[in-house]
């Protein structure tokens, strides 16, 4: 009877249960597997930057913009980027006004993960115009 | 035993069990996350190493031209260069076709890295496939037809073609193009008295940017036995605008040497019995160096490209996990694809 009536230890059990709940709840703080999936940001950014820098190394990029030759610009980018990548280019002037009146892209978007690279290039002609080229890239996951 | 002691014992046991279960669960859930961060750190570290070797000229800065020594510090960039511009001689020294090629041990020593393995491969930006489709002999000449296919990553490309034909006492050049399906036809006629091996060199150039130029070579028999594979008779090692020829068979007599680019061709000027001066061209094009000669009564043609691309040097990662970094580089104003593979200590 004394064993049944003595209820002083029950608080310890309740305490232990609360402690258990607290510890188990910490698991929910760990990010899920989906959250740690690697993105392609580094590789796409590196690839896109290299393409723009390489194309502009002899002033080709700025001269195509100067000539407003969007078809050639698209073909040049298309020739050096991997075939598996989607791209879209927007060209701004120094006032951030879009100057390409035609779409410079290789088709429809193939992924939600899009990265954007902003590249500043200067015209080699006498007007020394500054252009900002925004290259957006996406690839198949 | 008082009841409170039993209760406390059960409570402590329960809390310990929960602690262990929680630790195990947390560890198993967090482990991939932690491993992912390690991979990211390792990738960033190896990327920096690869980037450094591509953008640094190394030491001495002209190590590619110094035939007799290996670099103190490895780097492939051209001296005072900008934007992933590689040195033609440094690249050529990675080719195992060259007598001046670096060994993997020399490469690792110059990289000054421990526990990191690397491999470099450089390929042309476009692939050219040449296939002979027919030949017809009419009168004192034979007409050959070839299908030329130009592609990039299996995607066909429309290009302009410049072709050269080198045979015994005969030289010809012709132009053509590939359509949007990447296919083109090249036709050439060769006099029957120039029988022997014939070398067809095809340059393909993207019409929108001259730096997108690639070359392909095809050797075939013209009214003779099948020609021997390239490098059977001599080894060609271009470096520092000098072509060094090393006979692989004794009794070789060299006849002439020529250099071809997309827009130009020229005869090579001999400096000795075993070397020629390679002229510099302002053309954005790979160079093909062709040498003709005699092995007894057999006529031969051997060739090499300058830079000696495609090439591959480094560790064999066939069954290993690696990080692969691709770069679009220029060598003498021509685009190439460089692939650097790195394997770190924890991979």
């Amino acid at each position: 009877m004394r064993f049944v009536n003595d209820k002083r230890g029950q608080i310890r059990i309740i305490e232990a249960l609360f402690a258990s709940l607290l510890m188990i709840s910490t698991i929910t703080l760990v990010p899920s597997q989906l959250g740690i999936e690697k993105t392609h940001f580094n590789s796409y950014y590196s690839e896109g930057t290299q393409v723009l820098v390489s194309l502009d190394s002899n002033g080709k990029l700025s001269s195509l913009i100067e000539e407003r030759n969007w078809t050639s610009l698209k073909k040049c980018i298309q020739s050096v980027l991997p075939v598996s990548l989607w791209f879209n280019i927007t060209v701004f002037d120094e006032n951030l006004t879009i100057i390409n009146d035609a779409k410079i892209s290789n088709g429809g978007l193939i992924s939600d993960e899009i990265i954007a690279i902003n590249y500043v290039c200067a015209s080699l002609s006498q007007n020394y115009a500054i252009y900002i080229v925004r290259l957006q890239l996406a690839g198949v996951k | 035993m008082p009841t409170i002691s039993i209760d406390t014992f059960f409570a402590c046991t329960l809390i310990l069990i929960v602690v262990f279960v929680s630790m195990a669960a947390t560890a198993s859930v967090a482990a991939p996350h932690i491993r992912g961060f390690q991979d990211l750190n390792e990738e960033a570290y190896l990327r920096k190493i690869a980037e450094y070797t591509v953008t640094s000229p190394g030491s001495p800065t002209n190590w590619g031209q110094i035939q007799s020594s290996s670099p103190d510090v490895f780097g492939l960039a051209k001296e005072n260069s900008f934007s992933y511009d590689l040195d033609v001689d440094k690249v050529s020294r990675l080719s195992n076709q060259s007598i001046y090629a670096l060994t993997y041990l020399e490469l690792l020593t110059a990289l000054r890295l421990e526990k990191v393995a690397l491999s470099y491969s450089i390929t042309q930006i476009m692939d050219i496939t040449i296939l002979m489709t027919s030949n017809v002999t009419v009168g004192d000449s034979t007409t050959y037809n070839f299908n030329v296919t130009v592609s990039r990553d299996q995607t066909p490309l429309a290009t302009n073609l410049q072709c050269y034909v080198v045979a015994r006492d005969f030289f010809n050049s012709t132009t053509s193009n590939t359509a949007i399906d990447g296919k083109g036809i090249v036709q050439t006629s060769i006099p029957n008295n120039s029988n022997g091996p014939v070398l067809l060199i095809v340059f393909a150039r993207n019409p929108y940017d001259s730096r997108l130029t690639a070359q392909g070579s095809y050797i075939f028999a013209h009214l003779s036995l099948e020609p021997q594979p390239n490098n059977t008779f001599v080894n060609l090692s271009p470096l520092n605008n000098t072509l060094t020829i090393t006979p692989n068979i004794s009794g070789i007599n060299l006849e002439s040497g020529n250099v071809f680019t997309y827009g130009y061709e020229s005869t090579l000027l001999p400096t000795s019995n075993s070397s020629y001066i390679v002229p510099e061209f302002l053309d954005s094009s790979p160079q093909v160096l062709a040498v003709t000669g005699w092995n007894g009564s057999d006529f031969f043609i051997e060739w090499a490209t300058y830079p000696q691309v495609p090439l591959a040097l480094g560790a064999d990662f066939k069954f290993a996990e690696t990080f692969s970094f691709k770069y679009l580089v220029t060598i003498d104003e021509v685009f190439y694809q460089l692939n650097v593979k790195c394997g770190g200590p924890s991979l």
Side-chain angles (χ1 to χ4, degrees), chain A residues 15-87:
Chain A
E15 200 180 323
L17 284 172
F18 276 119
S20 311
L21 285 173
L22 184 69
M23 284 175 187
I24 290 167
S25 67
T26 58
I27 296 172
T28 60
L29 297 176
V30 177
S32 67
Q33 278 292 92
L34 288 173
I36 61 163
E37 188 181 314
K38 282 187 197 171
T39 65
H40 295 98
F41 179 82
N42 281 343
S43 56
Y44 290 171
Y45 191 88
S46 164
E47 215 149 359
T49 308
Q50 274 175 53
V51 163
L52 292 173
V53 170
S54 299
L55 275 180
D56 198 34
S57 62
N58 66 350
K60 180 82 181 177
L61 187 62
S62 55
S63 71
L64 288 174
I65 296 170
E66 192 87 338
E67 294 162 13
R68 305 294 194 260
N69 193 342
W70 311 124
T71 309
S72 291
L73 180 59
K74 176 186 157 184
K75 293 283 183 187
C76 283
I77 298 277
Q78 201 165 13
S79 303
V80 288
L81 270 177
V83 180
S84 58
L85 286 184
W86 168 87
F87 72 86

Side-chain angles (χ1 to χ4, degrees), chain B residues 47-277:
Chain B
R47 185 185 289 278
K48 288 285 177 197
I49 292 172
E51 190 92 16
Y52 175 78
T53 61
V54 175
T55 54
S56 155
S59 174
T61 49
N62 64 339
W63 66 263
Q65 296 165 5
I66 307 169
Q67 303 165 357
S68 54
S69 68
S70 55
D72 296 328
V73 181
F74 184 75
L76 289 171
K78 199 173 182 176
E79 200 176 348
N80 302 320
S81 73
F82 164 73
S83 67
Y84 303 97
D85 191 13
L86 304 191
D87 186 279
V88 63
D89 292 320
K90 290 170 188 171
V91 167
S92 290
R93 291 195 65 184
L94 299 184
S95 168
N96 59 7
Q97 303 286 318
S98 172
I99 56 168
Y100 307 114
L102 292 181
T103 63
Y104 184 49
L105 189 63
E106 286 172 324
L107 175 73
L108 277 185
T109 309
L111 279 167
R112 301 181 178 190
L113 290 170
E114 286 183 2
K115 297 179 182 175
V116 174
L118 286 108
S119 79
Y120 292 85
S121 67
I122 301 178
T123 51
Q124 296 191 96
I125 198 97
M126 295 184 285
D127 300 315
I128 301 175
T129 310
I130 305 164
L131 191 69
M132 188 195 291
T133 51
S134 65
N135 63 82
V136 182
T137 302
V138 178
D140 53 3
S141 70
T142 302
T143 302
Y144 293 89
N145 288 299
F146 300 90
N147 273 350
V148 177
T149 310
V150 181
S151 62
R152 183 173 184 229
D153 299 337
Q154 275 114 40
T155 304
L157 293 171
T159 56
N160 297 324
L161 302 179
Q162 174 69 49
C163 311
Y164 299 97
V165 179
V166 183
R168 179 162 64 92
D169 303 325
F170 177 78
F171 166 77
N172 190 19
S173 69
T174 180
T175 58
S176 182
N177 59 56
T178 58
I180 201 156
D181 63 353
K183 290 178 181 168
I185 293 167
V186 173
Q187 191 177 67
T188 186
S189 292
I190 303 165
N192 290 343
N193 57 8
S194 291
N195 61 318
V198 178
L199 178 64
L200 170 68
I201 303 163
V202 177
F203 289 92
R205 174 170 283 178
N206 186 307
Y208 298 100
D209 194 334
S210 61
R211 292 172 297 175
L212 291 158
T213 305
Q215 61 75 32
S217 303
Y218 183 84
I219 193 157
F220 60 97
H222 170 52
L223 308 175
S224 66
L225 296 172
E226 278 300 306
Q228 296 293 319
N230 197 21
N231 294 327
T232 299
F233 301 99
V234 289
N235 175 280
L236 306 180
S237 304
L239 197 77
N240 197 14
N241 289 312
T242 304
L243 175 66
T244 304
I245 299 167
T246 317
N248 294 329
I249 297 171
S250 58
I252 295 289
N253 287 313
L254 295 176
E255 191 176 77
S256 66
N258 289 79
V259 56
F260 304 92
T261 69
Y262 181 90
Y264 302 95
E265 70 83 23
S266 172
T267 307
L268 295 171
L269 294 172
T271 51
S272 68
N273 286 338
S274 61
S275 67
Y276 289 93
I277 293 172

